[in-house]
Amino acid sequence: MAKKKRIVIALGGNALGNTLPEQMAAVKITARAIVDLIEEGCEVVVAHGNGPQVGMVNNAMLALTHEDPQQPNTPLSVCVAMSQAYIGYDLQNALREELLNRNIDNIPVATMITQVRVDEDDPAFENPSKPIGRFLSKEQADSMAEKYDYIMKEDSGRGYRRVVASPRPQEIIEIGTIRTMVESGDLVIACGGGGIPVTRQGNHLKGASAVIDKDFASSLLARELDADFLIILTAVEKVAVNFGKPEVKWLDHITVDEAKQYMTEGHFAPGSMLPKVQAAVEFAESKPGRQALITLLEKAKDGIQGTTGTRISQA
Ligand SMILES: Nc1ncnc2c1ncn2[C@@H]1O[C@H](COP(=O)(O)OP(=O)(O)O)[C@@H](O)[C@H]1O
Ligand SMILES: NC(=O)OP(=O)(O)O
């Protein structure tokens, strides 16, 4: 029997929605796209983002602290852990249900609470860049900045959001357990929200005040699991050069060298498409034969069949 293609999927914001009811509805559509790939004969590992959710949890915990002075402030690392469990809970149940609806009853689904080590000297700690939470108006953003000392930035013409540090993932602490689960045929959700950021202090793992980019964490996960494909599912069907301009060109396939050239020319927006292309390049250049694909959630199956999306490979 031919070896199954191993795929790590990175789920973007539109796969999860922004509110509790939105997430409940979105994960059903997401589960269909993922189970389509399983029916295609692929072995799938799922990672996901958490920008809106970790902002929501953080605000809720902040409100608690204001109500009850006995409650100390909740560190961002704990908020990431809470968002991982909350999203994992919804996603895991939606996947389980979709598998059963298609009479697939031999694939257990599990969410792995995952910690990801970052470097405490990562310059990202000095330059917060990762948008989290809701989009706000300028007035709301100014008020949050004054009240809570948050750093607020405009996010791609969509409004203002809080930004936090986003260091590069260095090591997935639970990778051994994740590998064992994947090898035994489980459908694993791991590295949610980019993983809980920690630094190593001897035997102690200390939570770091950051949110890791899920595209970079997914790329590391895919390399560590020796995956064949990294699929980044987002809100566009293809990556473009001259995005948003009349001379826009949608890309079907680019080599690692072409991707690097386009990055140098500034074709991909920092904080949105740039980390995806960087993560795709890191994966594709790590070993001959590895490919990355960036496409729409609903097009995952077409993408893996080679009929859409932007494919990034060494040659
Ligand atoms: N060169 C580009 N090609 C395609 N999309 C781009 C490009 N530059 C910026 N984008 C924007 O990047 C967005 C995807 O990034 P983002 O919203 O951060 O994704 P996600 O939440 O799915 O991780 C697209 O919806 C698109 O608006
Ligand atoms: N952690 C992370 O990258 O989240 P988003 O994908 O929601 O930005």
Side-chain angles (χ1 to χ4, degrees):
M1 205 171 66
K3 190 177 164 284
K4 283 187 174 184
K5 262 187 208 147
R6 182 172 289 174
I7 300 177
V8 170
I9 294 183
L11 296 174
N14 61 331
L16 302 170
N18 291 299
T19 62
L20 271 80
E22 272 181 28
Q23 178 167 302
M24 192 59 96
V27 290
K28 287 189 197 304
I29 298 164
T30 303
R32 276 183 227 136
I34 294 171
V35 178
D36 280 350
L37 296 178
I38 293 172
E39 280 193 329
E40 283 290 295
C42 302
E43 189 182 68
V44 177
V45 183
V46 181
H48 60 80
N50 71 340
Q53 297 80 2
V54 73
M56 180 179 78
V57 170
N58 193 237
N59 283 345
M61 299 315 287
L62 202 60
L64 187 70
T65 310
H66 281 251
E67 264 171 36
D68 177 2
Q70 302 282 60
Q71 282 284 351
N73 194 25
T74 308
L76 199 49
S77 52
V78 177
C79 296
V80 173
M82 289 174 169
S83 73
Q84 233 182 45
Y86 156 55
I87 296 167
Y89 165 55
D90 273 356
L91 202 50
Q92 169 176 321
N93 277 339
L95 285 165
R96 180 182 172 276
E97 198 173 316
E98 187 62 26
L99 286 165
L100 292 177
N101 288 347
R102 300 199 204 181
N103 298 317
I104 303 171
D105 60 3
N106 60 347
I107 302 185
V109 189
T111 303
M112 185 72 207
I113 292 296
T114 317
Q115 300 173 91
V116 170
R117 186 178 63 76
V118 297
D119 186 344
E120 63 183 329
D121 298 322
D122 193 309
F125 283 109
E126 303 302 320
N127 179 27
S129 64
K130 179 84 192 154
I132 64 165
R134 287 190 303 123
F135 289 96
L136 302 171
S137 66
K138 174 93 175 76
E139 294 67 39
Q140 288 171 315
D142 288 345
S143 150
M144 294 294 271
E146 196 180 315
K147 205 161 154 193
Y148 301 120
D149 222 11
Y150 285 173
I151 301 171
M152 311 296 292
K153 276 194 189 155
E154 212 282 324
D155 185 0
S156 322
R158 296 176 288 189
Y160 288 78
R161 291 174 93 186
R162 180 182 173 200
V163 287
V164 297
S166 193
R168 284 293 188 117
Q170 305 292 340
E171 178 191 357
I172 299 167
I173 303 294
E174 288 79 15
I175 191 65
T177 314
I178 296 168
R179 197 176 285 120
T180 305
M181 290 162 80
V182 171
E183 300 282 328
S184 72
D186 294 3
L187 172 49
V188 184
I189 301 164
C191 290
I196 303 160
V198 294
T199 57
R200 200 186 279 283
Q201 310 210 322
N203 287 339
H204 177 64
L205 295 174
K206 184 172 184 283
S209 185
V211 173
I212 300 171
D213 188 291
K214 59 103 182 25
D215 298 313
F216 291 131
S218 305
S219 172
L220 178 60
L221 180 65
R223 280 174 275 146
E224 288 289 332
L225 292 176
D226 198 17
D228 303 290
F229 263 96
L230 168 66
I231 305 188
I232 300 178
L233 296 176
T234 183
V236 281
E237 188 163 342
K238 293 182 186 181
V239 178
V241 285
N242 296 315
F243 180 73
K245 297 184 186 159
E247 63 274 29
V248 62
K249 183 177 160 214
W250 299 100
L251 305 165
D252 296 321
H253 174 247
I254 44 174
T255 63
V256 162
D257 288 343
E258 285 166 339
K260 286 181 179 171
Q261 179 64 30
Y262 291 143
M263 282 194 264
T264 314
E265 291 167 5
H267 285 284
F268 312 126
S272 60
M273 192 45 75
L274 183 62
K276 294 180 201 316
V277 177
Q278 284 173 325
V281 163
E282 278 179 10
F283 177 70
E285 72 180 356
S286 62
K287 192 174 165 184
R290 288 181 177 169
Q291 291 186 39
L293 178 74
I294 301 175
T295 194
L296 267 180
L297 172 71
E298 298 80 359
K299 299 280 179 175
K301 186 173 154 186
D302 298 334
I304 204 74
Q305 289 173 342
T307 59
T308 194
T310 303
R311 205 171 273 250
I312 297 147
S313 62
Q314 271 187 13

